[in-house]
Amino acid sequence: MATETFLVELGTEELPPKALRTLGEAFRDNLVDALAKAELSHGDVEWFAAPRRMAVKIAAMTDAQQDKVVEKRGPAIKSAFDADGNPTKAAQGWARGNGISVDQAERLVTDKGEWLLHRAEVKGKPATELLPTLVADALSKLPIPKAMRWGSSDIQFIRPVHTLALLLGNTSLDAEILGIRSGLTIKGHRFMGAQELTLNHADDYPQCLLETGKVVADYEQRKATIKADIETAAQQIGGCADLDDELLEEVTSLVEWPVVMIASFEPEFLKVPAEALVYTMKGDQKYFPVYDQDGELMPKFIFVANVESKDPAQVIDGNEKVVRPRLADAEFFFNTDKKQKLIEQLPKLDSVLFQKQLGTLKDKTDRIQALAEYIAAGIGADTAHASRAGLLCKCDLMTSMVFEFTDTQGIMGMHYARHDGEAEEVAVALNEQYMPRYSGDDLPHSGVAQALALADKLDTLVGIFGIGQAPKGAADPFALRRAAIGALRIIVEKGLELDLVDLTAKAQSLFGDKLTNDKVCDDVIEFMLGRFRAWYQDEGYPVDVIQAVLALRPTRPVDFDRRVKAVQSFRSLDAAQALAAANKRVGNILAKSDAPLADSIDANLLQDGAEKALAEAILAAQAKVLPLFADGNYSDGLSQLASLRATIDNFFEEVMVNADDPALKANRLAMLNQLRGLFLQVADISLLQQ
């Protein structure tokens, strides 16, 4: 069977830059899935995406499906013929549906019986016939949040479509997709190279587009080129560029022919906190800031043009003129804000609503101040600094700078606090209160900052749960999931011996009578413990290990972490599977007992050698492991309990737990209850699976 390269390119208006990679990869994946279902084999697959196009190129595509024989089983023989051996209506109907008579059917004989059988040879369809439909299906399944229509057509796509190329080798497939007839003509760069060019063979893509159309269609190649050129440009001026990957991705999605250039701004702007300048350069202008060898911002920036200009100086000058007013705005806001102390912004918080039922930002500030001081006392941090940081924590939201550049909240609070002469620990806490801002972000460093960050997050969690607005489905308008995982990370990774029961109760008390949910503390704790599941699964822990710990509902996050790690270590032991099964068996036996269980084992009622051995082993284990568990040394404690495996196995082989003698039975149940209680000091290991 012959093979050819297949190419599909969809030419559009400028695609959304932040979605370009997702669209390009989804188009590739959808098409590969469609080919697999259509049983069309192929070789390597490449995807391409640029601002005005998406394409997929597939090597060694077979030109047709393989012929195959399809077996269609009919009714069982006993149902296919009557007592006289004549075909029944069921058999006749089945045969007609397959285009044969009953006597032309074969017989399928198995251990379970005999059936009528028809083997039909199905001819494979040519790829030229299948591919247009497969491409259309792949495009229809793209993750497009909001489609648009253009002109008078009812056809919808993420952007208006102008060209469609479908080539199998040098054959152009005749098709209409998204209202566009396929052809050999595709678009080049909007301003350079050939505005239109003709593809004569699928193998010509993307080289023809690169050489004739001045378009680098390969997304990864374009990104790598931009990154390398920016690094070279930064080195030329003795600096290091801020190559934020999210910005790099966006810029890659904005240009078809990247040209990297260096520009400057006036050094006096460096008197403004670097974060504000960087925010406007990266966020508004898509520029790459440059830092010197000491990590200080330089009065330079690097940008990526989408055109190779004959006069680069004009392009550079134009970008410098564009950024200058934005930097001037930042300078003006900074100088204006410094005329007032940060604390003077506090009364303005009373005019901003945090949440209708929970009050203003000033109300939230009062709660955070009290809770931060309480937490600081619990972790040995400076309570006076924690209280001051809580008082100032939201004041920068009222400043001109943060009002204009919202992403600088916290950062500007830190700078203004330093300008006002606040303690450095207080100033840094104002920035670090929002940490971690995203998955993998740094955590607050000082105890004061940790107390403030926890207070802010717990106040939001308890407040929103307290008015019955817990997240539902994917909706989470107050980012409670992020707040919960952030709080847990701070407590666990910083080793803070805090209890969620205590923290949520204190947070609840600070709301007074504002909350309507009487079970708010339980709800918040359950929600936060549920975040552990996703956290540890992301770290590679098996679900059953996490479930075993969750079953005990430990509310001290540091303690929870120790238990998970101990159970994971225990799970790898040779004895773990047998002990998990034994614990499950013990749990089932105890669950069936209606009588109250004794608190201790009566040695006088021990009869069998196996039960005496287990009783002695339990008493010895209690003496060894309970002190370990009390110290949080769960791993060593479980390792000690693993040595009970042989004794437990022997007990179940030799001893009848449900003895006829009630006293004997009750004593054996008490012994099993004590055994299970030892393991339940850590987790419910009966939930472990191998």
Side-chain angles (χ1 to χ4, degrees), residues 16 40 194 209 271 415 448 462 498 514 527 556 590 597 639:
L40 283 173
L209 193 57
K271 296 175 183 177
H415 287 293
V448 168
V462 172
L498 297 171
K514 286 185 169 70
F527 180 75
R556 290 188 299 119
L590 295 175
L597 298 171
S639 295

Side-chain angles (χ1 to χ4, degrees), residues 286-607:
K286 314 306 174 191
Y287 296 157
F288 294 87
V290 183
Y291 296 87
D292 64 21
Q293 301 305 315
D294 296 325
E296 298 295 325
L297 187 67
M298 298 174 67
K300 302 280 186 181
F301 62 90
I302 296 172
F303 66 95
V304 184
N306 189 34
V307 64
E308 201 169 298
S309 175
K310 294 179 181 178
D311 189 0
Q314 285 197 28
V315 178
I316 293 170
D317 184 62
N319 280 270
E320 289 176 345
K321 287 179 179 178
V322 167
V323 77
R324 191 172 294 118
R326 299 294 295 167
L327 299 180
D329 286 346
E331 181 183 43
F332 173 77
F333 295 141
F334 181 59
N335 290 332
T336 300
D337 290 337
K338 287 193 300 180
K339 293 176 181 178
Q340 281 187 301
K341 287 186 176 294
L342 196 58
I343 191 64
E344 293 176 39
Q345 304 286 356
L346 185 63
K348 298 178 185 178
L349 294 174
D350 246 337
S351 64
V352 181
L353 198 65
F354 167 61
Q355 201 282 334
K356 184 178 180 181
Q357 293 171 253
L358 302 179
T360 65
L361 280 179
K362 177 62 170 61
D363 296 327
K364 183 175 178 65
T365 296
D366 292 341
R367 295 192 300 268
I368 291 175
Q369 182 183 20
L371 187 55
E373 185 176 351
Y374 179 80
I375 294 172
I379 62 175
D382 189 313
T383 55
H385 283 172
S387 177
R388 183 66 176 177
L391 185 67
L392 298 172
C393 68
K394 303 303 175 186
C395 288
D396 70 337
L397 298 179
M398 297 294 100
T399 64
S400 300
M401 181 75 85
V402 175
F403 185 81
E404 181 68 19
F405 304 126
T406 54
D407 279 8
T408 62
Q409 66 177 8
I411 294 170
M412 295 313 302
M414 175 180 68
H415 287 293
Y416 293 141
R418 284 171 172 165
H419 179 267
D420 295 345
E422 299 285 351
E424 179 64 10
E425 194 173 38
V426 171
V428 172
L430 299 186
N431 177 32
E432 295 188 350
Q433 66 177 302
Y434 297 106
M435 292 180 176
R437 291 178 171 87
Y438 51 85
S439 177
D441 188 23
D442 290 340
L443 300 177
H445 295 87
S446 72
V448 168
Q450 291 157 18
L452 182 61
L454 287 172
D456 188 13
K457 292 169 177 58
L458 287 166
D459 178 80
T460 300
L461 283 161
V462 172
I464 301 304
F465 269 89
I467 57 173
Q469 293 192 24
K472 295 180 181 178
D476 188 7
F478 289 92
L480 299 185
R481 294 184 180 91
R482 186 173 65 189
I485 198 72
L488 291 173
R489 277 195 61 202
I490 292 170
I491 296 172
V492 171
E493 294 180 30
K494 293 298 181 179
L496 307 181
E497 294 292 347
L498 297 171
D499 195 320
L500 297 180
V501 173
D502 179 47
L503 293 176
T504 54
K506 178 62 177 178
Q508 180 187 16
S509 70
L510 295 172
F511 280 95
D513 59 357
K514 286 185 169 70
L515 306 184
T516 56
N517 177 9
D518 294 334
K519 300 190 302 177
V520 58
C521 289
D522 287 339
D523 289 348
V524 170
I525 291 170
E526 287 303 317
F527 180 75
M528 294 185 73
L529 293 180
R531 297 310 98 203
F532 268 130
R533 188 196 312 272
W535 179 1
Y536 287 109
Q537 278 187 262
D538 287 345
E539 291 192 359
Y541 286 86
V543 175
D544 59 336
V545 169
I546 305 166
Q547 289 288 88
V549 177
L550 279 172
L552 268 63
R553 198 176 179 267
T555 56
R556 290 188 299 119
V558 170
D559 185 60
F560 193 108
D561 183 67
R562 292 193 193 109
R563 291 170 188 258
V564 167
K565 291 173 179 174
V567 174
Q568 172 71 342
S569 177
F570 172 79
R571 191 177 186 270
S572 66
L573 300 177
D574 292 337
Q577 185 174 359
L579 287 170
N583 268 265
K584 188 172 184 178
R585 183 175 181 179
V586 170
N588 291 336
I589 291 171
L590 295 175
K592 294 175 182 177
S593 174
D594 297 327
L597 298 171
D599 294 329
S600 60
I601 303 169
D602 187 344
N604 296 321
L605 293 175
L606 299 175
Q607 295 184 349

Side-chain angles (χ1 to χ4, degrees), residues 19 61 100 104 123 132 157 211 268 378 398 400 474 476 593 622 637:
M61 170 82 71
I100 60 172
Q104 291 176 308
K123 296 289 289 182
F157 194 59
E211 295 173 355
E268 54 261 32
M398 297 294 100
S400 300
D476 188 7
S593 174
Q622 287 175 337

